[in-house]
Amino acid sequence: MHERTHSEIGAASSAENIFGVPPRDPDEKRKKDDQPNVPPARYPSRSGSSKYDFVKVKVWLGENADHYYVLSRFLLSRMLTVTKIPNHVAIKIALELKKLLVDNSLLDVSQSDLEANLFKLMERRGYGEEYINRYKMMTRFHHQRVPLVILVCGTACTGKSTVATQLAQRLNLPNVLHVCIIFPLHYFIFQYAPLTSTPVWARDFNSPEELIKEFCRECRIVRKGLAGDLKKAMKDGKPIIIEGIHLDPSIYLMDEEKKDSTDKSAEKPENKILGSQENNPDIAENCLPEKGTSSEAGESSSSQAGESSFLHATDPSLASSETKEKMPNENESQNTMAIKKEKTATEPITIPIVLRMAEFDHKALLEEWIATRAIGDKSLMQDRQKLINNLKTIQDYLCSFEPQGINVVNISASTFTQTLDSLHNYLLQCIEHGVSDASKAEKLAQEN
């Protein structure tokens, strides 16, 4: 057997020391053999979960308990935050409810029993009748599938995207549509009313009136581009938040004024409705869904009625009126059923909100925003004052609807949390009003 020389042993020891390994002990193997076999220590896993995460609780729905869903603590906590319970408290209440059900072997419960236990836990933590009523109201809102459209309007740097995202998180709404993302697509898609590649606020106009006229025209084009998403939201009863500059509140306001006349016309016999449309082409054009045409006449006629077409185009009653025109030879019973469907259609809850900021703060943010933007290879800094003036003109136009019922909200960094709380309350009140109207309409439909 070859024995290592002193030089080899020294080289090996130095090499081992370089890598932080201590020198070999000749008795090391013997010492290991003498030691008893001790199993390695087991440390608790970081991903350890409790039994409450694995046990499923079935919540049965309906009078005959025909359907069920599996209770989710996450979804329940999200629902509780809608009632303005803080998120950390909502998570604790959801966990306490799951523990209560599992510990008492209540793995199959009805929806009413689940809510009864939930409300007791809410009251125990100090969230009593007010919060319970909000929970019940939002439950009815989701069960009735009432369409909800929230419009967050305003010019650049007023916090539209931030407010829309925060409200979606607070109200547990999944869909937020940003107009600034889809607006460039309209430039390529809509041939009948083309948009220019230069934003409206970066162009030259002879007067503020001319600027506002062009701004309203682009808002109507954007509304046509949103028609598909809005109709789907109306059909499926899904809530949606839309934010962007090209949202004109007058489209909503003018349509609200026409709701009463539309409801009255729906109560008349169908042959009279069709006759009035045939005799008056203007009425027929306003009642039918808008269609894209490349002619200037079609564009001018749509611009006259476009400001009032936002809800009109998304109202389910319009689809039934179009069906009536296509099949005028249907018998009377089918016509009567169509009119009843018009009456019982759930009215959408449309809530426009205009954001504005103090002039000094807004100007500082706009200057910083303009410094980072360019149109093509041209910097916007040289036309900074013109851009700021154009944006201010658009902002003044949007805020001019405040006397007509539009909620104009002042945005400030120092009071942003309080502003979100105020908007949260305002939206809950609007939803409650819409759910109440939907319930009344449903009762009338059942009586008829």
Side-chain angles (χ1 to χ4, degrees):
M1 183 175 179
H2 174 70
E3 294 184 0
R4 293 193 301 174
T5 62
H6 291 286
S7 59
E8 290 175 345
I9 295 174
S13 300
S14 61
E16 291 171 344
N17 290 332
I18 290 175
F19 294 101
V21 181
R24 293 181 180 178
D25 186 355
D27 298 331
E28 181 179 3
K29 187 176 183 304
R30 181 177 55 81
K31 290 180 181 179
K32 286 184 179 181
D33 294 338
D34 296 339
Q35 289 179 355
N37 293 327
V38 179
R42 295 183 179 180
Y43 298 97
S45 174
R46 291 185 178 180
S47 60
S49 302
S50 65
K51 62 180 180 181
Y52 305 106
D53 295 322
F54 297 98
V55 180
K56 293 183 179 180
V57 176
K58 295 180 180 179
V59 183
W60 293 87
L61 302 173
E63 297 178 355
N64 301 323
D66 300 329
H67 307 280
Y68 74 89
Y69 66 91
V70 177
L71 177 64
S72 168
R73 288 196 288 126
F74 171 76
L75 295 179
L76 178 59
S77 64
R78 295 291 296 156
M79 190 68 174
L80 291 174
T81 56
V82 178
T83 66
K84 300 202 67 178
I85 295 178
N87 186 51
H88 67 282
V89 179
I91 293 174
K92 291 180 180 179
I93 293 176
L95 178 59
E96 290 174 358
L97 179 63
K98 187 72 176 288
K99 285 183 177 181
L100 177 65
L101 298 175
V102 174
D103 291 342
N104 291 278
S105 300
L106 299 174
L107 304 183
D108 288 272
V109 296
S110 63
Q111 180 70 23
S112 58
D113 292 339
L114 176 74
E115 291 180 349
N117 289 305
L118 174 62
F119 297 156
K120 289 179 182 178
L121 293 174
M122 291 171 63
E123 289 177 343
R124 189 181 302 171
R125 285 190 168 270
Y127 300 96
E129 184 178 0
E130 180 182 0
Y131 296 87
I132 292 173
N133 290 336
R134 288 175 185 165
Y135 183 92
K136 292 179 179 179
M137 182 267 295
M138 291 303 298
T139 301
R140 292 195 305 271
F141 167 72
H142 290 293
H143 285 177
Q144 295 175 0
R145 304 183 72 86
V146 181
L148 173 66
V149 179
I150 301 174
L151 306 174
V152 183
C153 317
T155 57
C157 300
T158 54
K160 300 180 300 300
S161 300
T162 304
V163 169
T165 305
Q166 290 291 328
L167 290 178
Q169 184 176 0
R170 283 172 172 250
L171 295 171
N172 198 23
L173 304 180
N175 301 318
V176 179
L177 192 57
H178 303 277
V179 174
C180 62
I181 296 178
I182 64 172
F183 184 81
L185 298 177
H186 296 173
Y187 175 68
F188 299 100
I189 294 174
F190 293 105
Q191 303 295 330
Y192 57 88
L195 296 168
T196 61
S197 58
T198 305
V200 63
W201 42 265
R203 286 178 247 157
D204 294 320
F205 296 95
N206 297 325
S207 65
E209 291 77 14
E210 185 179 347
L211 167 61
I212 295 303
K213 183 178 180 180
E214 177 63 17
F215 171 73
C216 293
R217 186 188 75 87
E218 291 190 355
C219 286
R220 290 191 291 271
I221 297 173
V222 169
R223 201 280 305 154
K224 292 177 182 178
L226 297 174
D229 296 287
L230 290 169
K231 287 180 180 179
K232 182 174 177 59
M234 298 298 133
K235 179 181 177 182
D236 299 339
K238 293 183 179 180
I240 185 172
I241 300 179
I242 307 175
E243 67 85 15
I245 296 179
H246 287 84
L247 296 176
D248 185 359
S250 67
I251 297 175
Y252 163 73
L253 283 176
M254 295 179 67
D255 186 78
E256 281 291 310
E257 296 173 358
K258 289 188 176 183
K259 269 189 178 181
D260 295 335
S261 59
T262 304
D263 294 337
K264 291 179 181 179
S265 62
E267 295 176 1
K268 298 179 181 180
E270 187 188 359
N271 55 358
K272 292 185 179 180
I273 298 175
L274 294 176
S276 63
Q277 291 180 358
E278 291 173 359
N279 296 331
N280 192 342
D282 294 333
I283 297 178
E285 184 178 358
N286 290 334
C287 291
L288 288 175
E290 296 178 359
K291 298 180 179 179
T293 58
S294 58
S295 63
E296 295 180 0
E299 184 178 342
S300 62
S301 62
S302 64
S303 65
Q304 294 175 359
E307 294 180 357
S308 62
S309 60
F310 181 80
L311 289 179
H312 195 66
T314 58
D315 194 337
S317 63
L318 296 179
S320 58
S321 66
E322 184 181 11
T323 306
K324 292 177 194 174
E325 287 202 6
K326 288 182 179 179
M327 297 182 294
N329 296 326
E330 293 278 340
N331 55 38
E332 276 189 24
S333 61
Q334 291 177 338
N335 294 335
T336 306
M337 290 298 295
I339 294 176
K340 284 184 178 180
K341 287 182 180 179
E342 262 187 20
K343 292 181 181 179
T344 59
T346 304
E347 290 292 337
I349 306 173
T350 307
I351 310 172
I353 301 170
V354 177
L355 305 183
R356 69 181 172 192
M357 191 176 291
E359 185 174 354
F360 178 80
D361 296 335
H362 195 198
K363 184 177 181 181
L365 290 175
L366 284 177
E367 289 179 348
E368 182 179 353
W369 178 69
I370 292 173
T372 60
R373 294 181 64 89
I375 299 177
D377 297 331
K378 180 183 177 182
S379 174
L380 301 180
M381 282 300 294
Q382 55 187 358
D383 299 329
R384 178 181 59 183
Q385 193 57 44
K386 179 192 73 175
L387 302 180
I388 293 176
N389 291 338
N390 286 347
L391 288 170
K392 186 178 183 304
T393 301
I394 295 174
Q395 184 71 39
D396 293 341
Y397 169 74
L398 295 175
C399 295
S400 66
F401 297 99
E402 186 175 11
Q404 303 180 41
I406 295 295
N407 188 15
V408 179
V409 181
N410 295 313
I411 298 295
S412 174
S414 58
T415 61
F416 187 71
T417 303
Q418 292 84 346
T419 301
L420 285 177
D421 290 337
S422 176
L423 282 174
H424 194 162
N425 284 329
Y426 173 70
L427 293 175
L428 287 176
Q429 292 174 4
C430 294
I431 293 173
E432 183 178 6
H433 181 72
V435 170
S436 177
D437 291 344
S439 300
K440 292 178 182 178
E442 187 176 354
K443 288 181 180 179
L444 291 174
Q446 292 175 355
E447 291 176 0
N448 295 335

